[in-house]
Amino acid sequence: MSDKFNAITKNRAEELGYDVWNDFVLPPYFDRLDITEARKPRIFIGGRGCGKTMLIRYLSHVSMFSKNRKRITQEDTENIGLYWRIDTHFASMMEKRGLEDDIWSGAFTHFSTLQISLEILRSLQSIADSTFENLSKEDLESLSFQELLDFDTSFPQGFDMLVKDLKSRQRRFHLWLNNVRTQPILTFLPKELIYSLIEIIKEQIPVLNKTIFFIYLDEYENLLDSQKHLVNTWLKHSEIPLIFNLAMKRNSFSDRDSVGIEQISKIHDFRVHDLELLIDEKSFSVFASEILFLRLGKQNYPSLLTSEVDFQSENDLNKRGESSYQNQILSKVRDIFPTYSQLELANIVINNKLLKKRLIDIIALNLQYRHSELSPLDFISNEYPQYSILVPALLNRQKLSPEFIHGELVKATIGQSSDFSSGKMWYHNMFHGCYIMFFAPLNRICPIYSGFDTYIRMARGNLRHFLELCHKSFSLSENSNEYLVIDQDTQNEAAKQAATSLLGEVKSFGISGNNLYTFIVRLGYVMYLSHLKPAQSEPEMTHFGIIPGTKTLSRENEEFLKEAVKWSVLFEVQSTKNKDNIETENFDYILNPVYSSYFAISHRKGRKLNLSTDQIDILINGDVRTYQALYKQLQSQWMVKISRQNNPTFSQLNFDLE
Amino acid sequence: MKILMTEEELEEDISRLNEVDVSFHGRDLDHRGAKSLDFINEKSNTSIKIEYDVIDKVIIINEKETIIIDEFYDYFDNSFSGKSLLLETTTLGLPELLILIRAARNSSIKELFMVYWEPYHYKRQGHENILNNRDFELSGEVLGYKAIPGFAPLMLDDPDLTTQTIFCLGFEASRLDRAFEENQMIDPINCSLIFGIPAFNPGWEMNSFANNLRVIQERKLLGPYYYCAASNPLATYSYLKKLKKSLTESTENMIVSPIGTKPAGIGVALFVAEFQDVGILYDHPVKEIGRSKELGNRHIYEINFDE
């Protein structure tokens, strides 16, 4: 991999560390978050890859008072963010084990108090080490912590000593928690300690006397229920100078949870920011491009950055929302990631000897099947190859005679109105599906997965996925030019590699990760099969709806689908009417388009595949034999003739049991 | 600590393993487990089933009695001090091994033996393709990385403390992936990987490499990489000990994640029984019933804590 593109290999917030000052691009919705004015607790919701963790790390003191930040004003110190992530692996031990709930409550409070207090002290250190001139290390060393002695007479005086002491208490707590029977009982510190600490700071450091501390608790959904209850009460009592805020994944709570958002909202006053709803597709495209440009610009391609607009300044947010600016960005990024037009795609076939021969052979076979005297060459147009691509599917439609199709083709090629370009709109409706079907059994990837807009569609709001696609493209590219362009074939290959990697991750998604993976593979494969329907009357089936079977959808299966949505393996959309007007469940489900290149299916949202509740049950719970039977039944029902063994992705699939 | 190891291909008895007082076993899930239980029943006067419940944090004895994990060590000391013990490690899970081995070390037991049966070698097609038949099969649930009291590491956002995490790897790359997904405090820069090489059977190491490669690349695990024989707990134990000694105690922590072979897990359990400040990260996969596996080689390990 080229070293040149190291800039964008770090596409997870965790990889960037806590100081993200240099790397953070303000999201377009940043001013809607009312960061500095907020006095109520806020809850940030978003799926993986939406930028949630990055945002709260940016708001926290390590970034806000980064050594890389050239100018820090008095006003900046009036809001100090504390990033708080609980080791939930460790915290899961704080229950049962023969101890009463109130002991665990005290333990969790103590654990949290230590961590938050340490974080407060570290925030002061961040400010002292930064370019802010009105707070120095000496100021910190002169702090007196007399009041803390009320909580424990062994608290040392002196800033550094206090930090050491708190860390030592953390280690002792760890020892105790690991062996609650054999370790001496600890004095649990109450939450009030935090408030005392803040009071000490505000009284003794005049420059901070207006300061409000904002806690950002990440991954709230991973806490035990008892711990969530505690945090909820802290949220309730959130007031100046300490405000609690939470960050969590979407769909983190089932209806039966007693601590979900609905329950919290009954008793508390707070504001929810759903980060994914705050941004539309165009804004996302621009935002994603800006992040890419920032990374590339800093390292290798300074021409991508302009001094006119600062991605990292609140002052330029409005400018970044203007159409002219946005169109400029999109134009630049589309130059980097060109796509094939549909004509170019068709020409790939016509201009390649083998591919052209394959097209002719398929048409010949279909003509024979239709008992037609016409020659396959009559259907090959060098000027309108995009229409020729549709012919195999059209010949499979019994209602259309080969002569009629030929007649329409002739009309289309001499500029007359025909069902290809108007009327039945064959070209508009069928090109993509026919093209995918043509490439299905071949060794080479269907070249439709290139282009910036395609990448954006496949990423579907997930910044991480978008950056992953870019990263793979760059690493496969041999481009050493001054002008940054990634050719379509490279992008295509990159898409498939990224899809393969990302699909592999599914196994690690929660308790049902393995099942989710199997389900998605089975579903993807069924969708692939549906793309091979010879007549292409309902092309590009990349989403499904559920129709009644012999039984209703079980509760477990409903939960499973919710889990798939939580992890963004499926996306849930309001149900659309299908052709036959059959009653469906309320939601349709889209397979995450980032996986589309892996399964050789369309990345667009095409027609809906109807799966019965029984079929869904087989996909989720059926054993291999039952799944195979379903597959064979669908293959027969859809009259798919192409042999599966010819597709290299699935070529090792051996359905014969040992 | 001294570990004596014997490996045998025959089903005959070996002289080292005489009758023991008590044997401990887990759930017998398949042919391998059933056969192994027969073996230990012949060898011991009493046979006890031990299971650890991850959520309730209790040990279940013979499916009846429940003991809180924190109280288990006293119970063990009272019940088995002075006795000779045999652990049937093919059926015992990793948490059970951690707990039993620590308990054995802390008590004054007479002798400690362990038996492990490898799965049998079978011919595979050896294709390194993306999709294979297994992808269509249902696999078990994984409860996820949950701490086992007594073995939990402390992972803090402390700039003055470095934590070295060592993974013992097997075939399933998703377990490594999940470790990073669920424990975002693990720093890839401070990770080491131990591969079980040589594997149980020639060629199997390719599965380990091929499967884990994706995660290694994605998570940017630049190493170092180490190799300890898949069936040799002593190799893993010795290696971990060497690593521990190379760390600076005040500023460097150590965590081990035994997500590879069972013998590697035994090596890890022996190591953390001795170095009790080392934490364990384990993901508690739910074992599937009825995977039909023929029996491979049988290993007997004899442990002497005093030497």
Side-chain angles (χ1 to χ4, degrees):
Chain A
M1 189 194 78
S2 168
D3 281 340
K4 289 200 306 171
F5 300 113
N6 275 340
I8 52 162
T9 61
K10 296 192 174 113
N11 52 35
R12 281 194 188 80
E14 298 76 52
E15 297 174 61
L16 290 169
Y18 295 110
D19 182 355
V20 300
W21 179 258
N22 273 347
D23 301 293
F24 189 70
V25 171
L26 293 190
Y29 51 75
F30 190 77
D31 49 3
R32 275 180 277 165
L33 300 177
D34 48 87
I35 298 296
T36 48
E37 287 80 48
R39 295 296 175 260
K40 289 181 202 171
R42 279 160 300 155
I43 299 186
F44 299 104
I45 297 181
R48 297 169 87 248
C50 74
K52 194 167 52 56
T53 297
M54 195 68 174
L55 173 66
I56 60 181
R57 284 193 189 194
Y58 172 75
L59 295 174
S60 304
H61 67 88
V62 182
S63 299
M64 279 285 134
F65 305 113
S66 161
K67 293 195 171 72
N68 295 315
R69 189 173 179 181
K70 305 268 186 328
R71 199 176 146 260
I72 298 174
T73 63
Q74 171 65 34
E75 209 184 317
D76 294 322
T77 63
E78 286 168 14
N79 299 289
I80 298 184
L82 308 173
Y83 178 71
W84 181 28
R85 181 176 52 190
I86 299 177
D87 175 5
T88 49
H89 174 260
F90 184 72
S92 69
M93 288 198 290
M94 290 191 240
E95 61 168 1
K96 304 178 186 179
R97 297 168 71 188
L99 296 184
E100 297 298 318
D101 289 344
D102 60 334
I103 305 236
W104 289 126
S105 175
F108 183 74
T109 304
H110 172 80
F111 176 65
S112 306
T113 298
L114 287 177
Q115 210 163 334
I116 295 171
S117 303
L118 262 170
E119 206 52 31
I120 290 174
L121 295 175
R122 285 187 187 126
S123 72
L124 300 184
Q125 250 165 342
S126 291
I127 300 176
D129 291 341
S130 75
T131 56
F132 184 67
E133 284 160 358
N134 299 340
L135 184 70
S136 67
K137 194 71 213 289
E138 289 73 37
D139 293 326
L140 299 184
E141 279 158 9
S142 67
L143 283 168
S144 155
F145 297 104
Q146 282 285 109
E147 278 89 351
L148 295 185
L149 295 174
D150 292 342
F151 296 95
D152 186 334
T153 51
S154 67
F155 269 124
Q157 297 303 303
F159 187 88
D160 289 340
M161 295 298 290
L162 182 59
V163 169
K164 269 205 177 97
D165 180 84
L166 291 173
K167 285 189 193 178
S168 163
R169 285 172 198 260
Q170 282 183 319
R171 284 192 295 274
R172 273 181 274 152
F173 179 76
H174 169 236
L175 261 177
W176 173 80
L177 187 59
N178 254 329
N179 303 284
V180 294
R181 289 277 181 276
T182 57
Q183 292 293 319
I185 309 231
L186 297 179
T187 315
F188 288 151
L189 296 168
K191 200 164 127 275
E192 283 69 26
L193 180 82
I194 305 173
Y195 294 95
S196 285
L197 184 61
I198 294 176
E199 219 177 282
I200 289 170
I201 291 165
K202 283 157 75 80
E203 273 173 11
Q204 296 182 36
I205 304 181
V207 104
L208 298 180
N209 67 9
K210 282 202 215 147
T211 295
I212 303 174
F213 288 89
F214 292 87
I215 293 182
Y216 297 101
L217 172 56
D218 206 358
E219 295 174 25
Y220 166 88
E221 69 271 11
N222 290 335
L223 295 175
L224 298 174
D225 278 359
S226 54
Q227 294 162 355
K228 283 175 189 156
H229 278 297
L230 262 177
V231 169
N232 289 350
T233 47
W234 298 345
L235 213 73
K236 181 176 181 179
H237 294 127
S238 234
E239 54 182 3
I240 297 170
L242 185 65
I243 312 267
F244 280 84
N245 305 283
L246 308 180
M248 61 183 74
K249 270 196 194 66
R250 165 190 312 302
N251 269 16
S252 290
F253 304 99
S254 76
D255 295 333
R256 290 166 289 182
D257 276 322
S258 62
V259 285
I261 289 186
E262 296 71 33
Q263 281 67 31
I264 305 177
S265 70
K266 288 180 195 146
I267 37 175
H268 303 314
D269 198 11
F270 59 82
R271 203 144 168 230
V272 175
H273 292 297
D274 187 328
L275 301 184
E276 285 164 7
L277 296 183
L278 289 173
I279 192 167
D280 59 35
E281 186 165 325
K282 184 172 187 191
S283 305
F284 176 77
S285 308
V286 176
F287 182 39
S289 306
E290 288 169 326
I291 294 173
L292 182 64
F293 287 0
L294 181 68
R295 306 240 182 133
L296 288 173
K298 282 194 314 192
Q299 284 221 354
N300 312 100
Y301 292 91
S303 61
L304 289 173
L305 298 177
T306 156
S307 56
E308 289 163 20
V309 167
D310 183 357
F311 299 144
Q312 300 176 296
S313 161
E314 282 187 67
N315 299 330
D316 285 352
L317 274 174
N318 284 336
K319 214 190 281 185
R320 287 166 60 202
E322 285 165 13
S323 276
S324 55
Y325 166 80
Q326 294 194 335
N327 292 337
Q328 201 185 22
I329 293 282
L330 292 177
S331 170
K332 257 196 225 174
V333 78
R334 283 174 183 139
D335 286 341
I336 299 176
F337 294 103
T339 187
Y340 283 131
S341 67
Q342 292 192 335
L343 178 59
E344 283 170 328
L345 286 174
N347 277 326
I348 287 173
V349 174
I350 292 299
N351 295 337
N352 178 297
K353 230 168 51 182
L354 289 172
L355 292 176
K356 185 174 183 177
K357 180 176 182 308
R358 176 177 150 75
L359 181 61
I360 294 169
D361 289 345
I362 293 175
I363 294 175
L365 206 61
N366 283 317
L367 285 170
Q368 196 181 32
Y369 173 64
R370 299 293 303 273
H371 305 297
S372 171
E373 298 291 324
L374 287 168
S375 156
L377 294 173
D378 294 337
F379 293 89
I380 301 291
S381 164
N382 290 322
E383 295 77 33
Y384 293 89
Q386 64 272 40
Y387 295 155
S388 299
I389 298 285
L390 312 184
V391 171
L394 291 168
L395 285 173
N396 271 289
R397 296 188 181 185
Q398 298 301 322
K399 291 192 180 145
L400 303 173
S401 69
E403 290 69 29
F404 176 74
I405 298 167
H406 181 248
E408 292 301 292
L409 182 61
V410 167
K411 283 202 286 187
T413 55
I414 59 175
Q416 284 183 11
S417 161
S418 74
D419 278 336
F420 274 98
S421 48
S422 50
K424 291 265 159 51
M425 306 285 282
W426 289 336
Y427 174 62
H428 172 79
N429 294 329
M430 292 168 67
F431 178 78
H432 233 234
C434 290
Y435 196 77
I436 293 171
M437 183 169 73
F438 178 81
F439 272 87
L442 300 179
N443 261 321
R444 53 184 292 179
I445 312 172
C446 181
I448 58 165
Y449 303 103
S450 64
F452 170 74
D453 295 292
T454 303
Y455 271 18
I456 288 291
R457 188 177 301 121
M458 292 193 292
R460 206 182 161 100
N462 187 319
L463 288 165
R464 209 197 115 216
H465 285 180
F466 173 73
L467 291 173
E468 183 66 26
L469 287 164
C470 295
H471 162 52
K472 280 275 187 299
S473 295
F474 288 129
S475 67
L476 288 173
S477 166
E478 280 157 18
N479 173 58
S480 51
N481 282 342
E482 184 191 322
Y483 303 102
L484 183 55
V485 176
I486 311 288
D487 68 86
Q488 292 91 331
D489 290 337
T490 303
Q491 290 179 56
N492 231 27
E493 176 62 39
K496 178 137 192 213
Q497 287 193 17
T500 307
S501 280
L502 294 173
L503 188 60
E505 283 183 3
V506 175
K507 288 185 189 178
S508 65
F509 290 175
I511 198 173
S512 309
N514 282 327
N515 282 2
L516 277 176
Y517 174 82
T518 304
F519 169 72
I520 286 305
V521 165
R522 290 175 171 186
L523 176 67
Y525 192 31
V526 163
M527 285 181 169
Y528 164 76
L529 196 65
S530 75
H531 278 54
L532 306 183
K533 289 198 217 176
Q536 290 289 312
S537 50
E538 286 179 306
E540 300 178 77
M541 287 180 157
T542 55
H543 70 292
F544 69 91
I546 305 177
I547 56 176
T550 60
K551 45 196 177 189
T552 55
L553 196 63
S554 69
R555 177 107 214 198
E556 288 76 26
N557 287 344
E558 269 179 12
E559 290 295 324
F560 184 85
L561 291 174
K562 278 208 182 107
E563 187 74 0
V565 171
K566 172 180 159 191
W567 290 97
S568 301
V569 164
L570 294 177
F571 291 99
E572 211 173 49
V573 289
Q574 279 295 314
S575 188
T576 55
K577 273 200 150 76
N578 56 32
K579 262 166 86 171
D580 308 318
N581 252 353
I582 304 173
E583 294 276 335
T584 69
E585 304 273 321
N586 292 327
F587 292 109
D588 292 341
Y589 297 91
I590 302 177
L591 176 61
N592 190 328
V594 85
Y595 305 130
S596 58
S597 55
Y598 180 88
F599 294 111
I601 61 179
S602 174
H603 49 76
R604 311 188 318 176
K605 183 169 170 245
R607 298 300 193 93
K608 178 159 67 172
L609 169 65
N610 280 325
L611 293 170
S612 71
T613 50
D614 304 295
Q615 290 171 327
I616 293 286
D617 191 56
I618 292 173
L619 292 179
I620 298 176
N621 302 306
D623 59 24
V624 177
R625 269 209 152 96
T626 320
Y627 171 69
Q628 288 166 13
L630 170 63
Y631 164 79
K632 287 188 172 110
Q633 181 244 313
L634 289 172
Q635 185 179 13
S636 158
Q637 181 184 329
W638 293 336
M639 297 185 290
V640 173
K641 301 183 204 83
I642 294 175
S643 161
R644 176 188 62 254
Q645 266 72 21
N646 291 332
N647 183 306
T649 303
F650 305 120
S651 64
Q652 297 316 314
L653 189 67
N654 180 5
F655 272 163
D656 297 319
L657 294 178
E658 285 148 6
Chain B
M1 185 179 320
K2 196 165 172 188
I3 306 172
L4 291 169
M5 305 185 300
T6 318
E7 177 174 343
E8 40 184 37
E9 292 172 20
L10 311 170
E11 291 197 5
E12 292 162 13
D13 278 350
I14 53 152
S15 57
R16 185 191 309 286
L17 187 55
N18 300 318
E19 280 243 330
V20 295
D21 296 316
V22 185
S23 63
F24 298 93
H25 65 92
R27 278 172 80 202
D28 110 42
L29 296 166
D30 55 23
H31 180 65
R32 209 168 30 128
K35 193 83 176 156
S36 202
L37 291 191
D38 289 341
F39 176 78
I40 64 167
N41 282 331
E42 282 167 37
K43 286 286 169 190
S44 57
N45 297 325
T46 315
S47 182
I48 301 179
K49 185 175 186 186
I50 297 276
E51 293 173 284
Y52 173 67
D53 184 310
V54 181
I55 304 297
D56 289 339
K57 305 173 205 15
V58 296
I59 303 279
I60 306 168
I61 300 176
N62 286 332
E63 295 175 2
K64 286 183 295 199
E65 214 184 321
T66 302
I67 302 186
I68 297 170
I69 184 176
D70 304 86
E71 291 167 2
F72 182 76
Y73 302 98
D74 283 344
Y75 158 83
F76 187 94
D77 198 31
N78 292 336
S79 313
F80 307 114
S81 222
K83 303 243 194 293
S84 58
L85 308 176
L86 171 63
L87 304 186
E88 200 305 297
T89 69
T90 326
T91 54
L92 285 167
L94 198 286
E96 290 84 349
L97 284 176
L98 288 170
I99 296 164
L100 285 169
I101 291 175
R102 175 171 287 182
R105 188 165 200 270
N106 291 350
S107 312
S108 40
I109 51 164
K110 190 163 143 206
E111 289 172 314
L112 178 63
F113 293 96
M114 301 187 209
V115 60
Y116 175 68
W117 294 74
E118 287 177 23
Y120 185 56
H121 169 84
Y122 59 93
K123 270 209 178 315
R124 287 174 67 97
Q125 303 233 319
H127 292 291
E128 303 305 338
N129 277 296
I130 302 161
L131 205 62
N132 58 54
N133 204 16
R134 266 199 76 196
D135 287 328
F136 291 82
E137 292 171 13
L138 293 176
S139 307
E141 289 185 335
V142 177
L143 293 179
Y145 283 86
K146 298 202 187 317
I148 303 166
F151 301 92
L154 179 61
M155 292 186 288
L156 297 171
D157 287 333
D158 184 351
D160 299 323
L161 193 67
T162 316
T163 300
Q164 299 290 341
T165 311
I166 296 112
F167 290 94
C168 298
L169 299 180
F171 287 171
E172 290 175 281
S174 59
R175 298 180 75 183
L176 180 62
D177 212 2
R178 182 187 285 274
F180 290 93
E181 184 70 36
E182 294 185 12
N183 303 292
Q184 296 192 346
M185 293 189 203
I186 302 177
D187 187 353
I189 292 179
N190 294 316
C191 286
S192 310
L193 307 178
I194 302 181
F195 291 91
I197 310 288
F200 290 145
N201 289 293
W204 284 19
E205 66 278 353
M206 290 313 298
N207 291 329
S208 186
F209 287 141
N211 294 348
N212 285 297
L213 188 60
R214 175 190 71 76
V215 181
I216 290 171
Q217 280 180 329
E218 292 301 315
R219 300 281 179 180
K220 299 174 188 92
L221 302 174
L222 301 174
Y225 309 131
Y226 303 113
Y227 308 95
C228 296
S231 59
N232 187 339
L234 175 59
T236 303
Y237 164 82
S238 306
Y239 201 78
L240 290 172
K241 199 165 164 177
K242 199 165 97 167
L243 276 173
K244 176 84 168 102
K245 294 214 151 102
S246 73
L247 299 180
T248 313
E249 214 174 297
S250 52
T251 53
E252 291 182 288
N253 255 356
M254 187 172 172
I255 298 179
V256 184
S257 185
I259 51 176
T261 64
K262 192 58 75 62
I266 293 170
V268 171
L270 291 167
F271 172 70
V272 299
E274 190 174 331
F275 296 92
Q276 301 202 6
D277 58 339
V278 173
I280 292 283
L281 278 179
Y282 186 68
D283 59 346
H284 308 279
V286 176
K287 288 188 199 168
E288 291 146 40
I289 297 178
R291 289 174 307 181
S292 119
K293 288 252 166 65
E294 294 301 317
L295 290 162
N297 295 341
R298 181 177 67 199
H299 299 266
I300 306 287
Y301 311 118
E302 181 182 354
I303 314 296
N304 191 326
F305 290 117
D306 296 326
E307 293 177 41

